[in-house]
Amino acid sequence: MNSNSKKIYMNNAATSWPKAPGVAKAVFDELEQPSVHSTRTTSKTKGILDECRETLAGMLDVDDPNCIVLTANATQSLNIAIYGLCRNGMKRVITTVMEHSSVIRPLYHRAESGGFEILIVGLDSGGAFDASQFDKLLESKPDLVAMCHASNVTGRINDIAPFFKKAKDAGAITLLDASQTLGHIPVHPKEMFADVVAFTGHKGLLGPAGTGGLYVSPEIELARIFVGGTGTCTEDRFHPEEMPIRLEAGTPNLPGFAGLLTSLKWMESDIEDFHETEKQNAKRMWDGIAEIPGVHVFDNNKVIDRMPLVSFRIGGVTVEDAGHILDSEYGIICRTGMHCAPLIHKAIGSSPEGTLRLSVSGFTTADEVEYVIDAVRRIASG
């Protein structure tokens, strides 16, 4: 058991911790000084928001930083995208069983008012998106195809480009949920045929909560969902049309984006070793837990690419009890339950209880991984 009071953090798929070096200080420093907003003051200094957009545009390999809308989180980004398209007349969408509630719920809320159809792609026998079912559903001529880059439950990374290429050929707009992947692996909208990409700042980007973004292709125009103060064009009755302010309104989270910018700059210069450590830690944890008698790992496929997490159950112990034991007796912080992704649990057989999920980062140590594997082994052995 953990002999000291230090907690071992294994919940990075929910939110990363610790953050990148300097993030907390950047947030604090921004709170300690007068606010400088490049569109609302006379300061000639390039603003935090502009730098965030430019850095994110480089990461996403897109040409125009004004295609990056800054938001509070991926949930807000996905709502802006989905409701913005609905107001433009979207009537039919294809999505998948892997999706997070931040995709599923906006779609079902829209469908509640009628005149809107949701078509859901299941999994094939190997646990991937069912390509033949997808092809069949495309015959219905959907307006939108919305898919996640990776499952937050199993960690499986999806090969999105072939699906989105077919979707665009069929006349659909494509929406990618990159909440689990941006910061871990490349996310390049043009290569993936993604028209719109939603992401968050507090996971793989190692930034603060309350930050996120939405890439919108110059070829796509989303109807405005939030309108109000912008600091520009104040005399106009209606919210400005130009991007990115078209999809932004209200006072921005400057302290949060100051922290995110610090993280993005750190990732530009010092990320290769971090990602290699993360990859090694994840493989060791996944392999070690999968080998424990009495433990069932979901999507137990050793050859696919996956995010640095493992989702499992321990025979004879409920998911909630196992999570409580890991926390109270071993000092291990993890995640239990449905992970805000209700449909995939029916597909993989973990409904209604959900799974126990452990997720590492490049800051996790090899000793911590071994300790966690041993703790799960002890619980499984009774």
Side-chain angles (χ1 to χ4, degrees):
M1 295 185 182
N2 198 350
S3 60
N4 57 53
S5 60
K6 180 182 178 182
K7 293 284 188 177
I8 296 176
Y9 190 75
M10 288 281 170
N11 195 25
N12 287 278
T15 190
S16 59
W17 188 86
K19 300 300 180 182
V23 167
K25 183 177 185 301
V27 173
F28 178 82
D29 288 348
E30 183 61 28
L31 288 169
E32 283 288 288
Q33 61 185 352
S35 179
V36 176
H37 189 322
S38 59
T39 64
R40 302 186 187 196
T41 71
T42 57
S43 171
K44 295 182 180 180
T45 304
K46 181 174 290 187
I48 290 168
L49 305 184
D50 293 333
E51 288 195 67
C52 271
R53 287 187 223 281
E54 291 179 5
T55 310
L56 287 166
M59 179 177 287
L60 293 165
D61 193 27
V62 298
D63 298 327
D64 185 2
N66 287 329
C67 292
I68 307 294
V69 178
L70 298 179
T71 68
N73 45 56
T75 298
Q76 187 183 69
S77 298
L78 289 162
N79 274 263
I80 290 171
I82 291 169
Y83 283 109
L85 290 168
C86 286
R87 288 191 178 182
N88 287 343
M90 182 175 70
K91 298 294 184 181
R92 181 178 292 113
V93 60
I94 292 177
T95 190
T96 83
V97 296
M98 285 193 192
E99 305 311 311
H100 191 275
S101 291
S102 297
V103 171
I104 297 297
R105 283 179 171 168
L107 292 176
Y108 276 106
H109 273 273
R110 172 62 185 85
E112 188 178 34
S113 62
F116 185 80
E117 186 177 12
I118 303 170
L119 306 172
I120 298 178
V121 176
L123 306 181
D124 63 21
S125 59
F129 292 144
D130 189 327
S132 61
Q133 184 187 19
F134 179 81
D135 291 345
K136 182 67 175 176
L137 292 177
L138 272 183
E139 296 175 6
S140 67
K141 299 297 182 183
D143 301 298
L144 172 69
V145 172
M147 290 180 156
C148 62
H149 197 185
S151 168
N152 72 319
V153 175
T154 67
R156 177 183 285 259
I157 299 172
N158 301 306
D159 185 11
I160 293 294
F163 291 94
F164 276 4
K165 174 64 166 59
K166 290 180 180 179
K168 288 181 69 64
D169 289 344
I173 293 172
T174 54
L175 168 60
L176 180 71
D177 180 2
S179 302
Q180 290 296 318
T181 53
L182 188 61
H184 292 281
I185 61 175
V187 178
H188 297 154
K190 288 183 286 187
E191 293 178 9
M192 301 171 75
F193 303 97
D195 293 315
V196 186
V197 179
F199 56 90
T200 189
H202 71 99
K203 297 190 182 192
L205 294 180
L206 305 175
T211 61
L214 184 72
Y215 162 75
V216 183
S217 165
E219 299 176 0
I220 303 298
E221 184 176 282
L222 298 180
R224 288 159 286 192
I225 304 303
F226 301 106
V227 297
T230 57
T232 61
C233 306
T234 303
E235 70 281 2
D236 294 346
R237 178 176 297 181
F238 296 103
H239 199 84
E241 292 189 5
E242 66 271 13
M243 287 284 283
I245 202 68
R246 172 185 180 87
L247 302 178
E248 296 177 357
T251 304
N253 178 11
L254 283 178
F257 284 108
L260 179 61
L261 179 61
T262 298
S263 177
L264 294 173
K265 295 297 186 182
W266 177 78
M267 294 178 75
E268 283 184 329
S269 61
D270 195 24
I271 200 64
E272 289 186 10
D273 289 344
F274 179 89
H275 279 158
E276 182 59 29
T277 299
E278 179 179 79
K279 184 177 179 180
Q280 292 176 2
N281 284 335
K283 185 178 187 308
R284 177 65 191 118
M285 181 179 67
W286 198 93
D287 289 344
I289 289 177
E291 293 170 357
I292 298 172
V295 169
H296 174 72
V297 172
F298 290 92
D299 200 1
N300 191 352
N301 186 326
K302 293 185 178 182
V303 299
I304 64 168
D305 292 329
R306 67 175 70 246
M307 299 308 295
L309 66 87
V310 60
S311 207
F312 63 100
R313 280 189 189 165
I314 301 173
V317 186
T318 69
V319 166
E320 290 300 321
D321 284 348
H324 176 71
I325 294 169
L326 284 173
D327 185 8
S328 62
E329 297 191 21
Y330 295 94
I332 297 168
I333 299 172
C334 61
R335 181 72 178 265
T336 61
M338 303 285 276
H339 316 300
C340 298
L343 301 184
I344 192 173
H345 292 280
K346 293 181 180 179
I348 64 176
S350 55
S351 181
E353 191 177 355
T355 70
L356 185 69
R357 188 184 71 189
L358 299 170
S359 48
V360 303
S361 83
F363 293 125
T364 307
T365 68
D367 286 344
E368 287 174 332
V369 171
E370 292 300 328
Y371 175 82
V372 169
I373 294 171
D374 185 64
V376 174
R377 184 180 294 112
R378 288 170 180 267
I379 297 171
S381 69

